[in-house]
């Protein structure tokens, strides 16, 4: 009995142990299932018309601390991703649910498969399901709607806005220069007191200066030398201008002798007493200036009055000018006026040249000689670089890029051996012979969607076309090229001797060939420019940094 009881107890303990192990495993399994991420996907429709969009939804359920990376770029090929809508996030306790929607489309009819998409969670790859999509054509009623030929390209006249803008700036500069010339040279400026005195007749000016000398403080301040110097200068200047005798450079005796000769010749009707008084004043002035003599105040004042009377009597003693003298004076004044006018124009020209020269120096110091020279003289690639740029999309599969001018569609004649493998080829180009700059863009779709592009062969064909046009010594380098959105392509570039289109002259040129592609299609950009042309290199940089391609075929 005891033995049976012992067996029953042992059995129960064993069952309890097994039950505890089972519960532990169950809990571990439950815990593991809660931490394992899950990825699911769905689409809103499996059938669309050309150009319509599909909503492709990826849903991820994972731990809130998980690092999750959704698909990016054109990974849905042959479907084309139009838009990636921002991720929707829902949190619940320690779990997180992320939902991302992609808008997909296709512009060619047929049945396509959206490939499995890769989602990376904490470094581990998870994949969505693949889906088959049917793209139907849009029915066109050709009976009710008449078909028309494609309209030809229209030539659009280039806007003259930049030309008018430059003309307005030039006009504004000329107006400013004209205003400066008028203000400083042509307009009649208010005369200063000295200028007004200088314009007076010699007689009136002499009397006015004598009056000012009378009101001066030279005598009060014992400045007799300065007083007599001005007194004699006034009378000597008057005699030189009105009597036409060299008085300023003559000594006292020489001046008196000249006046007496004029009196004896009948050209100056002065009496001997006036000349004698004048001689005494000049001698007194010589003693003050050279012998430091100091006369009485009354004597100095009396000498000034004597000189004033001498000026008046000399004016009265001069004979009336005849017609010939008046004519000579008039001619002299006209000549003087012409000289003044000529001096004004010369000064205006000098100021203009100075302003232009100074502005050029400042511009050269700030911008450098070449940009200033090219701005003034003009440079074709500089005008392209600084003109109005366009951002356009060309061909299918589309190539988007920014260019200084619109690219014109080119006619393509495919050889018979190529037509069988090419479904459609589109080419667009722009060329400026003056700037020695060209851009070419082409998109090609193959007849078979499984055809892989041959980049190497494409590059060889482009180089052969260069050689056919006279290019020599072509060097090549190759590297990966990646667009802003991350699309990967190939860039082949280099330099060589190129022949100018309108002559046999050879110049050093550079080129770049950028190719993208995938199953069933290829996209290509070709750039050609003059070597060591900084403006052209800036154009190329701007174009290449703007390239964006959609790799859906």
């Amino acid at each position: 009995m005891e033995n049976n009881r012992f067996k029953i107890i042992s059995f129960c303990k064993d069952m309890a142990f097994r039950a505890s192990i089972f519960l532990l495993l169950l809990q571990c399994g439950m815990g593991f299932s809660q931490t394992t991420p899950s990825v699911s996907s769905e689409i809103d429709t499996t059938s669309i018309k050309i150009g319509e969009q599909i909503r492709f939804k990826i849903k991820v359920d994972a731990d809130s601390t998980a690092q999750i990376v959704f698909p990016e770029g054109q990974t849905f090929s042959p479907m084309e991703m139009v838009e990636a809508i921002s991720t929707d996030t829902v949190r619940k306790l320690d779990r997180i649910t992320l939902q991302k929607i992609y808008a997909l489309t296709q512009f060619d009819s047929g049945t396509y498969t959206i490939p499995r998409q890769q989602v990376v969670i904490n470094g581990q790859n998870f994949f969505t399901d693949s889906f088959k999509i049917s793209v139907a054509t849009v029915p066109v009623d050709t009976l009710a709607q008449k078909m028309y030929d494609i309209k030809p390209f229209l030539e659009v006249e280039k806007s003259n806005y930049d030309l008018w803008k430059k003309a307005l700036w030039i006009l504004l500069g000329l107006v400013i220069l004209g205003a400066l010339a008028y203000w400083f040279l042509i307009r009649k400026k208010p005369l200063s007191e000295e200028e007004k005195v200088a314009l007076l007749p010699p007689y009136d000016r002499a009397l006015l200066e004598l009056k000012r000398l009378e009101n001066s403080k030279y005598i009060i301040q014992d400045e007799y030398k300065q007083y007599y110097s001005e007194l004699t200068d006034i009378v000597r200047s008057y005699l030189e201008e009105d009597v036409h005798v060299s008085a300023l450079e003559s000594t006292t005796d020489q001046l008196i002798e000249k006046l007496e000769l004029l009196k004896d010749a009948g050209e100056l009707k002065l009496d001997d007493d006036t000349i004698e008084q004048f001689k005494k004043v000049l001698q007194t002035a010589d003693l003050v200036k050279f012998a430091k003599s100091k006369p009485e105040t009354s004597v100095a004042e009396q000498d000034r009055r004597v000189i004033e009377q001498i000026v008046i009597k000399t004016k009265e003693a001069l004979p009336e000018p005849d017609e010939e003298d008046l004519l000579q004076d008039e001619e002299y004044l006209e000549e003087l006026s012409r000289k003044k006018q000529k001096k004004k124009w010369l000064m205006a020209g000098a100021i203009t040249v100075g302003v232009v020269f100074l502005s050029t120096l400042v511009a050269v110091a700030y911008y450098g000689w070449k940009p200033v020279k090219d701005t003034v003289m003009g440079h074709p690639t500089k005008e392209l670089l600084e003109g109005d740029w366009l951002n356009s999309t060309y061909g299918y599969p589309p190539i988007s890029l920014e260019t200084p001018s619109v690219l014109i569609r080119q006619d393509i004649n495919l050889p018979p051996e190529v037509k069988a493998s090419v479904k459609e080829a589109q080419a667009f180009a722009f060329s400026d012979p003056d700037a020695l700059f060209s851009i070419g863009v082409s998109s090609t779709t193959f007849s078979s969607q499984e055809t892989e592009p041959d980049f190497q062969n494409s590059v060889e064909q482009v180089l052969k076309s260069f050689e056919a046009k006279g290019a020599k010594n072509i060097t090549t380098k190759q590297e990966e090229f990646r667009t802003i959105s991350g699309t990967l392509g190939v860039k082949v570039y280099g330099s060589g001797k190129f022949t100018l289109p309108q002559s046999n002259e050879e110049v050093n040129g550079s080129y770049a060939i950028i190719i993208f592609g995938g199953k069933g299609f290829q996209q290509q950009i070709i750039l050609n420019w003059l070597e060591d042309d900084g403006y052209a290199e800036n154009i190329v940089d701007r174009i290449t940094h703007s390239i964006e391609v959609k790799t859906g075929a």
Side-chain angles (χ1 to χ4, degrees), residues 249-268:
E249 299 176 358
S250 302
T251 64
T252 298
D253 293 338
Q254 290 173 343
L255 179 57
I256 296 300
E257 184 179 353
K258 291 176 183 179
L259 293 178
E260 288 176 344
L261 289 174
L262 290 173
K263 181 180 75 71
D264 294 340
E267 296 180 9
L268 186 64

Side-chain angles (χ1 to χ4, degrees), residues 322-332:
D322 56 16
E323 187 175 350
E324 184 178 353
D325 292 334
L326 293 174
L327 184 60
Q328 288 178 352
D329 290 342
E330 186 177 350
E331 290 176 354
Y332 171 75

Side-chain angles (χ1 to χ4, degrees), residues 333-351:
L333 292 174
E334 288 180 358
E335 181 64 24
L336 189 62
S337 176
R338 282 195 297 269
K339 287 181 178 180
K340 288 182 178 179
Q341 193 69 19
K342 184 179 179 181
K343 185 178 179 182
K344 286 184 178 181
W345 283 113
L346 287 175
M347 190 176 293
I351 290 175

Side-chain angles (χ1 to χ4, degrees), residues 312-323:
I312 295 172
K313 290 180 179 180
T314 303
K315 176 66 175 175
E316 295 173 350
L318 288 173
E320 292 294 328
D322 56 16
E323 187 175 350

Side-chain angles (χ1 to χ4, degrees), residues 350-500:
I351 290 175
T352 303
V353 171
V355 170
V356 172
F357 181 72
L358 185 61
S359 302
T360 303
L361 284 181
V362 172
V364 169
Y366 187 80
Y367 296 104
W369 165 248
K370 192 173 186 306
V372 173
K373 177 180 73 70
D374 293 338
T375 300
V376 176
M377 305 299 294
H379 194 285
T381 48
K382 186 176 188 293
E383 293 173 3
L384 285 178
L385 179 63
E386 296 176 352
D388 295 329
W389 282 57
L390 303 169
N391 196 321
S392 302
T393 302
Y394 301 92
Y396 181 80
I399 302 173
S400 297
L401 73 167
E402 199 176 5
T403 58
S405 182
V406 66
L407 306 185
I408 305 300
R409 183 185 292 272
Q410 306 294 306
D411 294 329
I412 301 178
N413 295 319
L414 297 174
E417 64 272 14
V418 178
K419 287 184 178 179
S421 59
V422 174
K423 179 180 179 181
E424 185 179 8
Q426 298 172 315
F428 305 83
F430 163 77
S431 178
D432 188 338
D434 295 330
L436 301 175
F437 184 86
S438 63
I439 311 168
V441 171
S442 64
S443 290
T444 305
T445 53
F446 304 124
S447 300
S448 173
Q449 293 187 0
E450 299 302 319
T451 302
E452 292 282 355
D454 188 347
F455 291 171
Q456 190 64 35
N457 182 58
S458 298
V459 171
E460 290 177 0
Q461 294 300 321
V462 173
L463 296 180
K464 284 181 180 179
S465 70
F466 287 164
E467 292 173 350
K469 295 177 181 178
K472 300 175 184 177
N473 304 327
I474 299 176
T475 62
T476 59
K477 298 178 183 179
Q478 183 170 321
E479 62 183 28
E480 287 186 351
F481 183 88
R482 194 177 294 274
T483 65
I484 299 173
S485 64
T487 305
L488 190 62
V490 173
K491 178 181 178 181
V492 177
Y493 61 99
S495 61
K497 288 278 188 180
F498 293 84
T499 303
L500 296 180

Side-chain angles (χ1 to χ4, degrees), residues 108-112 133-136:
D108 210 355
S109 60
T111 301
Y112 302 91
I133 305 297
S134 176
V135 181

